[in-house]
Amino acid sequence: MSLRSERTVAAAAIVLAVVLLAAWGRQARQPAAKQIIPTLTNRPELCLTCHDGIEEISASHPVAAFGCTTCHGGDGLALDADLAHTGMYGGRNPADLAVADVACGGAKCHSGDPAAGRDHIQRVNTSIQATYAGAIAQVRHTFGAQPDLTARMGVHAVQSDRPPSAEAVASLAAFVAHPTDPPPLQQFAANCLTCHLAAQPIAAPYFYRATGCAACHVLYDTDGLYRGGDPSISRTEPGHASAHRLTTAIPYSQCDHCHNRGNYNLPRMAFIARTDLPAPADADAPARRLAEYYQPIGQFTRCEWELDCVDCHTAQEAMGDGHIYSNQADAQDTQCLTCHGTLSEPPKLATITDPNDIALRQAQVNGKYALQVGDQVVVTERGEKLGHVRWSGDHLALTMKATGQTYRVPLVQGTACEQKPDEQASRYCHACHDHELPAP
Amino acid sequence: MGKLDRQRVKESSLQAVKPAKASIPEYDSSERSAVMVHRRPNFFYHLHPPTLPARESRFGYTFGLGGISLLLFLALGVTGVLEMFIYLPTLADAAASVRQIAYLAPFGWLLRNMHYWAGQMMVGTVILHMARVVLSGGYKGRRSNWLIGMALLALTLLLDFTGYVLRWDQDTAWALVMGTNLVNAIPGIGPALYRLLIGGQTVGQATLLRFYAWHVLGLALVATVLIVWHSFRVRRDGGISHRKSAPGPAPRVGREQLVRTEAIAALLTLAALVGLSVLVNAPLGPAANLSVLMTAEPRAPWFFLWIQELLRSAPVFLAGVLAPLAVFTLLSVLPYALDRGPAGVGEWFNRPGRLAQGVFLALVLAVIALTARGLLR
């Protein structure tokens, strides 16, 4: 058969037909695009083609309004994974502090008016969890690099835009160890700057967490596995949030990803992870909580292991109030007396009068407790209203932010409590109210 | 006698050197008219001379490069027109409409990939076609068609570059900014020419629209006219350039055979084009944003990488304007300055054309070396 016969023409035509069939096959395998047009951007997005079934991040950020790219960046019109994910803010986590300004910020969003409490990002950057200023000041002071415990440096340089206050400093410089610093300080700089909001988590059970805002507001399970509905996220690869969800209903286990995870060996400047986890399988809830959260050295009273951390450590305390404090003690606003009062005084209450009160917004976002104008709530020394601790006619009631469970708050006034008026720190209360575990 | 047998007989008579006709001093025109009376040639046959020199119509002589280039140009036209139904040449929508073609429109990915790969392949086949013509002396005695070919080479590169820009992603937009800035370096008329080219003081909406208009109409129309002219010149000059040195009449074959060869080449080229398009997607990067600073050095499309390499070591006007013009001019004047005579036509590496071949190969090697350096960066 000649190479140039009509048969060869027919064979070439068959080759072309086969290739065309392959093209048809590829078209047939294309996933049907799932398009949304978010109302805030009015630009179509195809992300849900692959992320079909992902959880809505929160009721405050409905996907119908925000879509995906408003917060995540990336290329919402690309159906090729590499291109679609190019230019995402912070990779998987747009709430990392390096990108939060772009992803979460904006005048109408989370870098807005301080008076309305919408300057979350600026405040978080001044918070002790972000600056790590307390530990840095402590170690620098211990090894003679600074004369007192007043913070001078943080993991990043930061300035406060708040009016000066006696307990706060105006700014921090970025901490770097100098060659002339004592060796322990240099080791500290090399080994120990791992416990702040910008630090990458340790990739191990219990430690799995996100960075930035999501370190607290996106819940991780102990094993770091995803349990949501997005078919494109691995369910076997650890290091994922348990669901694509932002929350202010933060259980103690979330704080646990950083706090009370081990001890520090100061001579070696090393972190030694706990080995007494997990708690025994037969432990009941309070015992498990005690075992998992608290190390066996401290004294704790009942509300400290029945409530969640966020029930006392308020939003402004954890996320910062805009002031730069030298350490956690200075930042802390809530004391036992905030809710329990003293022998001579009941807890301070404030009435919600402004329909735009931040406390109302916090209650609505949290969803576990109800609050309305006219309600009387506990107010801290620095004036932060605790919407979940409400005067309920004849008693004070606390509703847990993570579970919605409600407790009647016992007041000191009128009891036989032996406290002294000027000894209100928790260690004085712990002297009598240690553990208070139910009898076995 | 079955159909296949008949065909075999017909083929053997066509393929052989036609001993019966070898004794005829001139091709017998009476036989030709007899054929035409019996069977009017169809459109595709009609585009070819009734008979062609047997030696030069073998695939191994031309490798079908001119025809394949023409086929790719047609494929580019068809896929390009279909893309025009979706593409929007505006800053706000260009990237989105490219994505609509690539991801949403049924078979849009195939259109885009075919358009891209046909464009890439055409640059290759056009340059190889030129190399074949130079090395086998095909330009001899057909100098005007050589010039048309040179114009088509330039048009092919400009069409590819304007198309590259229309993708409107970070890479191509910065390549556009960089490429058009070369014009600024021309003394005197540079700035005016630059404004004319990009439609204002800075690259923006007007630039995209202008490049779109050049791509889909301006350049494409001129290229179409020149391709028709180029092919017509080949047809008018008696088909493919062929050896004239052998004494006596050269053996000839009927055009049916050539048309069949062309059909096979066309079908296989299309199969390769579609196959490549199924397997490998045309590149697409993040949408262009000219309001942010360039973060990475933009890379010229591969066929201009050699100019980008020159720009690293020489002044802009010299490397970016004069050098490409010099290469182009030198190639254009090959048959006028370096090999004027008709001797050696149709002979690979013919002796009279050695100087022209040497200059051509030196230029090609230099461009390839610079391109390789650019690719390896």
Side-chain angles (χ1 to χ4, degrees), chain A residues 144-179:
Chain A
Q146 65 180 58
D148 54 44
L149 285 172
T150 301
R152 291 160 172 78
M153 293 177 167
V155 290
H156 57 261
V158 65
Q159 270 195 307
S160 172
D161 57 4
R162 296 293 197 268
S165 114
E167 292 158 306
V169 299
S171 66
L172 295 175
F175 170 61
V176 278
H178 289 284

mmCIF file of all heavy atoms in Angstrom, chain A residues 144-179:
data_model
loop_
_atom_site.group_PDB
_atom_site.id
_atom_site.type_symbol
_atom_site.label_atom_id
_atom_site.label_comp_id
_atom_site.label_asym_id
_atom_site.label_seq_id
_atom_site.Cartn_x
_atom_site.Cartn_y
_atom_site.Cartn_z
ATOM 1 N N GLY A 144 19.036 40.413 82.339
ATOM 2 C CA GLY A 144 19.741 41.673 82.466
ATOM 3 C C GLY A 144 19.730 42.574 81.253
ATOM 4 O O GLY A 144 20.520 43.504 81.167
ATOM 5 N N ALA A 145 18.848 42.309 80.316
ATOM 6 C CA ALA A 145 18.820 43.156 79.123
ATOM 7 C C ALA A 145 17.948 44.386 79.306
ATOM 8 O O ALA A 145 17.990 45.306 78.493
ATOM 9 C CB ALA A 145 18.346 42.351 77.917
ATOM 10 N N GLN A 146 17.131 44.391 80.369
ATOM 11 C CA GLN A 146 16.350 45.597 80.651
ATOM 12 C C GLN A 146 16.140 45.683 82.153
ATOM 13 O O GLN A 146 16.119 44.668 82.856
ATOM 14 C CB GLN A 146 15.027 45.596 79.876
ATOM 15 C CG GLN A 146 14.032 44.497 80.249
ATOM 16 C CD GLN A 146 12.761 44.599 79.420
ATOM 17 O OE1 GLN A 146 12.809 44.550 78.204
ATOM 18 N NE2 GLN A 146 11.633 44.747 80.100
ATOM 19 N N PRO A 147 16.009 46.906 82.674
ATOM 20 C CA PRO A 147 16.051 47.095 84.115
ATOM 21 C C PRO A 147 14.755 46.739 84.848
ATOM 22 O O PRO A 147 14.764 46.562 86.058
ATOM 23 C CB PRO A 147 16.342 48.586 84.260
ATOM 24 C CG PRO A 147 15.807 49.205 83.022
ATOM 25 C CD PRO A 147 15.968 48.189 81.935
ATOM 26 N N ASP A 148 13.644 46.646 84.134
ATOM 27 C CA ASP A 148 12.384 46.355 84.825
ATOM 28 C C ASP A 148 11.513 45.494 83.922
ATOM 29 O O ASP A 148 11.941 45.068 82.847
ATOM 30 C CB ASP A 148 11.671 47.654 85.185
ATOM 31 C CG ASP A 148 11.492 48.541 83.974
ATOM 32 O OD1 ASP A 148 11.115 48.008 82.907
ATOM 33 O OD2 ASP A 148 11.753 49.757 84.064
ATOM 34 N N LEU A 149 10.272 45.253 84.360
ATOM 35 C CA LEU A 149 9.394 44.349 83.606
ATOM 36 C C LEU A 149 8.489 45.087 82.619
ATOM 37 O O LEU A 149 7.611 44.485 82.012
ATOM 38 C CB LEU A 149 8.544 43.533 84.578
ATOM 39 C CG LEU A 149 9.315 42.417 85.294
ATOM 40 C CD1 LEU A 149 8.463 41.777 86.383
ATOM 41 C CD2 LEU A 149 9.756 41.349 84.300
ATOM 42 N N THR A 150 8.679 46.379 82.474
ATOM 43 C CA THR A 150 7.861 47.123 81.518
ATOM 44 C C THR A 150 8.251 46.703 80.094
ATOM 45 O O THR A 150 9.432 46.686 79.748
ATOM 46 C CB THR A 150 8.089 48.632 81.683
ATOM 47 O OG1 THR A 150 7.743 48.967 83.019
ATOM 48 C CG2 THR A 150 7.227 49.414 80.716
ATOM 49 N N ALA A 151 7.248 46.367 79.297
ATOM 50 C CA ALA A 151 7.535 45.855 77.951
ATOM 51 C C ALA A 151 8.117 46.944 77.069
ATOM 52 O O ALA A 151 7.685 48.106 77.114
ATOM 53 C CB ALA A 151 6.267 45.307 77.323
ATOM 54 N N ARG A 152 9.132 46.568 76.319
ATOM 55 C CA ARG A 152 9.731 47.477 75.348
ATOM 56 C C ARG A 152 9.704 46.893 73.938
ATOM 57 O O ARG A 152 9.857 47.595 72.959
ATOM 58 C CB ARG A 152 11.186 47.754 75.726
ATOM 59 C CG ARG A 152 11.345 48.590 76.984
ATOM 60 C CD ARG A 152 12.741 48.423 77.568
ATOM 61 N NE ARG A 152 12.984 49.352 78.672
ATOM 62 C CZ ARG A 152 12.525 49.188 79.906
ATOM 63 N NH1 ARG A 152 11.793 48.126 80.196
ATOM 64 N NH2 ARG A 152 12.790 50.072 80.850
ATOM 65 N N MET A 153 9.538 45.580 73.884
ATOM 66 C CA MET A 153 9.622 44.903 72.590
ATOM 67 C C MET A 153 8.519 43.863 72.449
ATOM 68 O O MET A 153 8.077 43.262 73.426
ATOM 69 C CB MET A 153 10.977 44.193 72.450
ATOM 70 C CG MET A 153 12.140 45.150 72.372
ATOM 71 S SD MET A 153 13.678 44.237 72.301
ATOM 72 C CE MET A 153 14.789 45.551 71.808
ATOM 73 N N GLY A 154 8.097 43.678 71.190
ATOM 74 C CA GLY A 154 7.148 42.622 70.868
ATOM 75 C C GLY A 154 7.664 41.835 69.677
ATOM 76 O O GLY A 154 8.684 42.205 69.096
ATOM 77 N N VAL A 155 6.947 40.765 69.307
ATOM 78 C CA VAL A 155 7.400 40.006 68.140
ATOM 79 C C VAL A 155 7.312 40.859 66.878
ATOM 80 O O VAL A 155 8.013 40.619 65.904
ATOM 81 C CB VAL A 155 6.630 38.678 67.933
ATOM 82 C CG1 VAL A 155 6.984 37.675 69.001
ATOM 83 C CG2 VAL A 155 5.143 38.913 67.898
ATOM 84 N N HIS A 156 6.445 41.856 66.884
ATOM 85 C CA HIS A 156 6.456 42.835 65.800
ATOM 86 C C HIS A 156 6.397 44.226 66.433
ATOM 87 O O HIS A 156 5.927 44.380 67.564
ATOM 88 C CB HIS A 156 5.281 42.625 64.846
ATOM 89 C CG HIS A 156 3.936 42.680 65.536
ATOM 90 N ND1 HIS A 156 3.247 41.553 65.901
ATOM 91 C CD2 HIS A 156 3.184 43.720 65.936
ATOM 92 C CE1 HIS A 156 2.108 41.895 66.487
ATOM 93 N NE2 HIS A 156 2.052 43.210 66.530
ATOM 94 N N ALA A 157 6.897 45.212 65.729
ATOM 95 C CA ALA A 157 6.815 46.585 66.228
ATOM 96 C C ALA A 157 5.361 47.030 66.126
ATOM 97 O O ALA A 157 4.663 46.702 65.178
ATOM 98 C CB ALA A 157 7.702 47.493 65.384
ATOM 99 N N VAL A 158 4.907 47.742 67.129
ATOM 100 C CA VAL A 158 3.512 48.187 67.109
ATOM 101 C C VAL A 158 3.384 49.474 67.908
ATOM 102 O O VAL A 158 4.150 49.732 68.839
ATOM 103 C CB VAL A 158 2.583 47.066 67.661
ATOM 104 C CG1 VAL A 158 2.861 46.798 69.136
ATOM 105 C CG2 VAL A 158 1.114 47.413 67.447
ATOM 106 N N GLN A 159 2.423 50.293 67.493
ATOM 107 C CA GLN A 159 2.141 51.545 68.188
ATOM 108 C C GLN A 159 0.683 51.566 68.568
ATOM 109 O O GLN A 159 -0.163 51.070 67.817
ATOM 110 C CB GLN A 159 2.404 52.724 67.249
ATOM 111 C CG GLN A 159 3.833 53.227 67.337
ATOM 112 C CD GLN A 159 3.959 54.577 66.693
ATOM 113 O OE1 GLN A 159 3.566 54.718 65.546
ATOM 114 N NE2 GLN A 159 4.507 55.544 67.389
ATOM 115 N N SER A 160 0.402 52.144 69.699
ATOM 116 C CA SER A 160 -0.992 52.246 70.122
ATOM 117 C C SER A 160 -1.563 53.576 69.658
ATOM 118 O O SER A 160 -0.874 54.593 69.669
ATOM 119 C CB SER A 160 -1.082 52.141 71.642
ATOM 120 O OG SER A 160 -2.400 52.432 72.049
ATOM 121 N N ASP A 161 -2.820 53.557 69.245
ATOM 122 C CA ASP A 161 -3.462 54.833 68.875
ATOM 123 C C ASP A 161 -4.385 55.302 69.989
ATOM 124 O O ASP A 161 -5.167 56.217 69.808
ATOM 125 C CB ASP A 161 -4.216 54.689 67.546
ATOM 126 C CG ASP A 161 -5.262 53.579 67.594
ATOM 127 O OD1 ASP A 161 -5.449 52.975 68.669
ATOM 128 O OD2 ASP A 161 -5.887 53.324 66.547
ATOM 129 N N ARG A 162 -4.278 54.645 71.153
ATOM 130 C CA ARG A 162 -5.129 55.044 72.273
ATOM 131 C C ARG A 162 -4.415 56.104 73.117
ATOM 132 O O ARG A 162 -3.182 56.169 73.119
ATOM 133 C CB ARG A 162 -5.425 53.835 73.168
ATOM 134 C CG ARG A 162 -6.214 52.732 72.487
ATOM 135 C CD ARG A 162 -7.629 53.212 72.155
ATOM 136 N NE ARG A 162 -8.515 52.090 71.887
ATOM 137 C CZ ARG A 162 -8.744 51.558 70.696
ATOM 138 N NH1 ARG A 162 -8.129 52.048 69.636
ATOM 139 N NH2 ARG A 162 -9.582 50.558 70.542
ATOM 140 N N PRO A 163 -5.187 56.910 73.856
ATOM 141 C CA PRO A 163 -4.548 57.872 74.763
ATOM 142 C C PRO A 163 -3.718 57.124 75.798
ATOM 143 O O PRO A 163 -4.059 56.006 76.173
ATOM 144 C CB PRO A 163 -5.727 58.600 75.407
ATOM 145 C CG PRO A 163 -6.956 57.876 75.012
ATOM 146 C CD PRO A 163 -6.638 56.983 73.871
ATOM 147 N N PRO A 164 -2.605 57.712 76.253
ATOM 148 C CA PRO A 164 -1.722 57.007 77.179
ATOM 149 C C PRO A 164 -2.473 56.614 78.448
ATOM 150 O O PRO A 164 -3.418 57.282 78.864
ATOM 151 C CB PRO A 164 -0.645 58.040 77.502
ATOM 152 C CG PRO A 164 -0.834 59.168 76.563
ATOM 153 C CD PRO A 164 -2.202 59.086 75.988
ATOM 154 N N SER A 165 -2.057 55.481 79.002
ATOM 155 C CA SER A 165 -2.665 55.059 80.264
ATOM 156 C C SER A 165 -1.541 54.577 81.172
ATOM 157 O O SER A 165 -0.468 54.207 80.700
ATOM 158 C CB SER A 165 -3.702 53.953 80.001
ATOM 159 O OG SER A 165 -3.286 52.738 80.571
ATOM 160 N N ALA A 166 -1.809 54.605 82.465
ATOM 161 C CA ALA A 166 -0.769 54.281 83.449
ATOM 162 C C ALA A 166 -0.265 52.864 83.280
ATOM 163 O O ALA A 166 0.911 52.580 83.453
ATOM 164 C CB ALA A 166 -1.321 54.478 84.857
ATOM 165 N N GLU A 167 -1.174 51.916 82.909
ATOM 166 C CA GLU A 167 -0.768 50.515 82.839
ATOM 167 C C GLU A 167 -0.185 50.141 81.477
ATOM 168 O O GLU A 167 0.360 49.060 81.315
ATOM 169 C CB GLU A 167 -1.983 49.610 83.085
ATOM 170 C CG GLU A 167 -2.497 49.692 84.504
ATOM 171 C CD GLU A 167 -3.945 49.252 84.579
ATOM 172 O OE1 GLU A 167 -4.773 49.802 83.826
ATOM 173 O OE2 GLU A 167 -4.247 48.354 85.381
ATOM 174 N N ALA A 168 -0.348 51.017 80.455
ATOM 175 C CA ALA A 168 0.015 50.629 79.101
ATOM 176 C C ALA A 168 1.251 51.384 78.635
ATOM 177 O O ALA A 168 1.609 52.425 79.182
ATOM 178 C CB ALA A 168 -1.138 50.900 78.146
ATOM 179 N N VAL A 169 1.932 50.844 77.637
ATOM 180 C CA VAL A 169 3.047 51.550 77.008
ATOM 181 C C VAL A 169 2.567 52.056 75.651
ATOM 182 O O VAL A 169 1.572 51.583 75.114
ATOM 183 C CB VAL A 169 4.282 50.643 76.846
ATOM 184 C CG1 VAL A 169 4.780 50.168 78.198
ATOM 185 C CG2 VAL A 169 3.965 49.458 75.947
ATOM 186 N N ALA A 170 3.287 53.044 75.121
ATOM 187 C CA ALA A 170 2.811 53.675 73.892
ATOM 188 C C ALA A 170 3.175 52.857 72.650
ATOM 189 O O ALA A 170 2.448 52.861 71.657
ATOM 190 C CB ALA A 170 3.397 55.077 73.761
ATOM 191 N N SER A 171 4.318 52.167 72.707
ATOM 192 C CA SER A 171 4.721 51.426 71.511
ATOM 193 C C SER A 171 5.702 50.335 71.907
ATOM 194 O O SER A 171 6.260 50.341 73.002
ATOM 195 C CB SER A 171 5.369 52.360 70.496
ATOM 196 O OG SER A 171 6.588 52.852 71.018
ATOM 197 N N LEU A 172 5.903 49.385 70.996
ATOM 198 C CA LEU A 172 6.895 48.336 71.178
ATOM 199 C C LEU A 172 7.782 48.324 69.946
ATOM 200 O O LEU A 172 7.310 48.535 68.834
ATOM 201 C CB LEU A 172 6.222 46.965 71.315
ATOM 202 C CG LEU A 172 5.325 46.724 72.535
ATOM 203 C CD1 LEU A 172 4.659 45.359 72.412
ATOM 204 C CD2 LEU A 172 6.131 46.805 73.828
ATOM 205 N N ALA A 173 9.067 48.049 70.174
ATOM 206 C CA ALA A 173 9.960 47.820 69.043
ATOM 207 C C ALA A 173 9.947 46.333 68.716
ATOM 208 O O ALA A 173 9.557 45.518 69.541
ATOM 209 C CB ALA A 173 11.373 48.264 69.404
ATOM 210 N N ALA A 174 10.381 45.993 67.503
ATOM 211 C CA ALA A 174 10.457 44.580 67.139
ATOM 212 C C ALA A 174 11.616 43.931 67.884
ATOM 213 O O ALA A 174 12.724 44.467 67.919
ATOM 214 C CB ALA A 174 10.646 44.427 65.641
ATOM 215 N N PHE A 175 11.326 42.773 68.494
ATOM 216 C CA PHE A 175 12.343 42.115 69.301
ATOM 217 C C PHE A 175 13.319 41.351 68.417
ATOM 218 O O PHE A 175 12.920 40.507 67.615
ATOM 219 C CB PHE A 175 11.685 41.143 70.282
ATOM 220 C CG PHE A 175 12.663 40.253 70.995
ATOM 221 C CD1 PHE A 175 13.644 40.808 71.811
ATOM 222 C CD2 PHE A 175 12.616 38.880 70.841
ATOM 223 C CE1 PHE A 175 14.562 39.992 72.473
ATOM 224 C CE2 PHE A 175 13.518 38.065 71.502
ATOM 225 C CZ PHE A 175 14.495 38.622 72.317
ATOM 226 N N VAL A 176 14.588 41.685 68.550
ATOM 227 C CA VAL A 176 15.645 40.858 67.954
ATOM 228 C C VAL A 176 16.757 40.786 68.992
ATOM 229 O O VAL A 176 17.031 41.755 69.683
ATOM 230 C CB VAL A 176 16.215 41.446 66.648
ATOM 231 C CG1 VAL A 176 15.338 41.116 65.463
ATOM 232 C CG2 VAL A 176 16.414 42.949 66.774
ATOM 233 N N ALA A 177 17.349 39.601 69.105
ATOM 234 C CA ALA A 177 18.457 39.469 70.039
ATOM 235 C C ALA A 177 19.713 40.041 69.395
ATOM 236 O O ALA A 177 19.966 39.800 68.214
ATOM 237 C CB ALA A 177 18.668 38.007 70.400
ATOM 238 N N HIS A 178 20.467 40.821 70.173
ATOM 239 C CA HIS A 178 21.723 41.372 69.648
ATOM 240 C C HIS A 178 22.867 40.433 69.991
ATOM 241 O O HIS A 178 22.807 39.717 70.986
ATOM 242 C CB HIS A 178 21.970 42.751 70.250
ATOM 243 C CG HIS A 178 21.025 43.772 69.706
ATOM 244 N ND1 HIS A 178 21.164 44.302 68.452
ATOM 245 C CD2 HIS A 178 19.906 44.325 70.237
ATOM 246 C CE1 HIS A 178 20.173 45.153 68.231
ATOM 247 N NE2 HIS A 178 19.391 45.180 69.296
ATOM 248 N N PRO A 179 23.911 40.458 69.188
ATOM 249 C CA PRO A 179 25.055 39.588 69.472
ATOM 250 C C PRO A 179 25.634 39.846 70.853
ATOM 251 O O PRO A 179 26.254 38.971 71.456
ATOM 252 C CB PRO A 179 26.070 39.942 68.381
ATOM 253 C CG PRO A 179 25.272 40.590 67.302
ATOM 254 C CD PRO A 179 24.103 41.240 67.961
#
